[in-house]
Amino acid sequence: MRRMYAMAMRSWTKGAELERVELPTPEPRAREVRVAVHAASVNPVDWKMRQGGPLRLAARAIRTFRGPRGPIVLGVDFAGVVEAVGAKVKNLTAGQRVYGGTNFSRGQHGSYADTVVVHADQVCALPDAVPFETAGAMVVTGVTAWMSVSEFRPIEKGRRVLVLGAAGGVGQLVVQLAKRTRGADLVAGVCSARNADLVRGLGADEVIDYTTGDALERAQAHGPFDVVVDCAGGYKASRCRGLLAPGGRHVMVAGDSPAAMAQVVVPPFRSRAILGKPTHGRLKAVADAVAAGQVQVAIAERVPLADVEAAHAKSKTGRMTGKIVLLPR
Ligand SMILES: NC(=O)c1ccc[n+]([C@@H]2O[C@H](COP(=O)([O-])OP(=O)(O)OC[C@H]3O[C@@H](n4cnc5c(N)ncnc54)[C@H](OP(=O)(O)O)[C@@H]3O)[C@@H](O)[C@H]2O)c1
């Protein structure tokens, strides 16, 4: 049987390192595809799963019930070439360029590997204009940003939007999608002063520096907002709702602690926590925007997959303004 290479943990023990492992390459089942990975990338969820807390608990419980057994391969984002398709997959063929995301809750290995096997509805054909490295860096961030601007309180012409954490992986895409694809009238981005030019360059009309004062108080000058998207965490939901126009909505992207979640499951239900789940339709919307040049994906570094441990350490600083791309080949 063919073997695949992955970076994986041997157990869920806190501090367990990511090490090189070889695993049997799964054959795709009827509705699955096997993809040769050319690029993957790091998302905060990857290293949060290694720490204590709700994410690790959930991931561990899901794996216990759904598998797979053996080493734990982390990672969601990938881009690559279809190697094989299951009997019932009609829309994809071997040799096609695709990108997509793995799904723990479907019992799949993650994308820190040279090969992934996922359901066909978790990938999307990749336009020639989008390189693998870009595509492998826009799955979780892209899909989450797309959901933030289009699925709860769809942003459209005339709307005013506030993006907290505008310089991060998700925030950068929210700013660009809101302004350039959804036609928001005003986008205000909250970031530190060193990233002000970056955020302005992405299309933000106003930039608020959170390091020299209360960002939410300053944001009032540009509101009220139809949508407040929190991609940073640490901002109180009730204060975010206080900046909303009538009918406005607060979208919580960051904030995976039980305390943060508790703030959005209480009335008046104008807040929603979203979970960026890669589906064909969402992936296509992001790919189209990137292929059309409306949205750019910042890449901070490209490193061999074997260096993922160092990549996690960098991502953990919370200061990244571009994605770390992992190259397995
Ligand atoms: N719900 C979901 O499905 C989902 C999906 C993706 C990500 N997330 C979560 O969303 C968060 C962001 O993810 P990401 O991939 O964008 O992370 P990232 O790229 O690592 O974001 C880092 C950015 O956050 C900014 N930042 C840090 N503290 C801030 C603050 N108090 N106010 C404003 N900006 C601040 C930093 O900018 P400065 O250096 O300018 O401070 C930095 O550029 C993470 O907590 C992640 O787990 C959730």
Side-chain angles (χ1 to χ4, degrees):
M1 182 183 273
R2 219 192 95 190
R3 311 277 291 170
M4 62 182 240
Y5 145 59
M7 293 299 287
M9 301 186 297
R10 297 273 179 198
S11 78
W12 285 104
T13 317
K14 209 171 158 189
E17 292 199 349
L18 291 165
E19 54 184 282
R20 187 189 166 100
V21 296
E22 286 200 2
L23 301 165
T25 309
E27 280 306 315
R29 287 174 292 193
R31 296 184 196 284
E32 291 179 337
V33 291
R34 190 172 73 224
V35 178
V37 178
H38 287 246
S41 72
V42 174
N43 288 294
V45 67
D46 304 345
W47 50 260
K48 286 182 183 179
M49 275 194 197
R50 302 174 66 189
Q51 300 179 327
L55 271 173
R56 188 171 65 144
L57 266 178
R60 189 175 181 167
I62 289 166
R63 258 186 79 101
T64 305
F65 289 111
R66 299 296 313 263
R69 300 260 169 256
I72 302 146
V73 184
L74 300 177
V76 179
D77 298 20
F78 66 85
V81 175
V82 175
E83 279 186 345
V85 301
K88 292 194 174 157
V89 176
K90 303 293 175 215
N91 60 333
L92 295 165
T93 51
Q96 202 169 352
R97 301 170 81 247
V98 293
Y99 88 118
T102 63
N103 187 339
F104 242 55
S105 56
R106 282 179 155 173
Q108 298 165 356
H109 282 304
S111 64
Y112 289 178
D114 63 7
T115 308
V116 292
V117 175
V118 296
H119 278 237
D121 63 8
Q122 292 167 240
V123 306
C124 164
L126 187 60
D128 289 342
V130 186
F132 286 131
E133 294 177 9
T134 304
M138 63 189 208
V139 180
V140 168
T141 52
V143 160
T144 306
W146 179 253
M147 292 170 72
S148 306
V149 302
S150 66
E151 292 185 13
F152 184 29
R153 167 77 159 150
I155 293 170
E156 49 198 46
K157 227 176 164 354
R159 300 256 152 100
R160 301 171 79 84
V161 183
L162 176 66
V163 185
L164 308 169
V170 182
Q172 288 192 25
L173 299 187
V174 174
V175 169
Q176 295 178 83
L177 287 168
K179 193 72 194 174
R180 298 177 181 156
T181 70
R182 311 290 304 187
D185 256 23
L186 176 132
V187 175
V190 173
C191 61
S192 61
R194 75 189 174 100
N195 291 324
D197 287 345
L198 166 79
V199 171
R200 223 172 258 117
L202 300 172
D205 303 284
E206 302 291 344
V207 174
I208 300 159
D209 174 11
Y210 73 88
T211 60
T212 52
D214 184 329
L216 296 184
E217 199 175 298
R218 290 182 185 178
Q220 280 175 11
H222 310 294
F225 299 96
D226 299 288
V227 182
V228 174
V229 187
D230 182 358
C231 309
Y235 292 94
K236 241 182 152 193
S238 56
R239 290 198 64 208
C240 293
R241 287 194 290 267
L243 295 168
L244 294 174
R249 292 289 182 268
H250 163 229
V251 180
M252 191 183 275
V253 168
D256 36 44
S257 69
M261 288 299 173
Q263 298 182 71
V264 298
V265 293
V266 291
F269 304 118
R270 295 173 78 198
S271 297
R272 179 179 290 181
I274 61 162
L275 186 63
K277 185 174 163 203
T279 60
H280 177 270
R282 292 168 183 153
L283 290 163
K284 182 165 179 349
V286 175
D288 287 348
V290 173
Q294 292 171 309
V295 169
Q296 260 140 36
V297 178
I299 294 177
E301 277 181 49
R302 297 161 175 81
V303 300
L305 175 59
D307 294 345
V308 63
E309 199 67 68
H312 274 204
K314 279 188 187 152
S315 175
K316 271 188 208 174
T317 64
R319 297 272 84 82
M320 299 295 297
T321 52
K323 299 278 295 174
I324 305 178
V325 172
L326 304 170
L327 302 171
R329 294 166 190 277

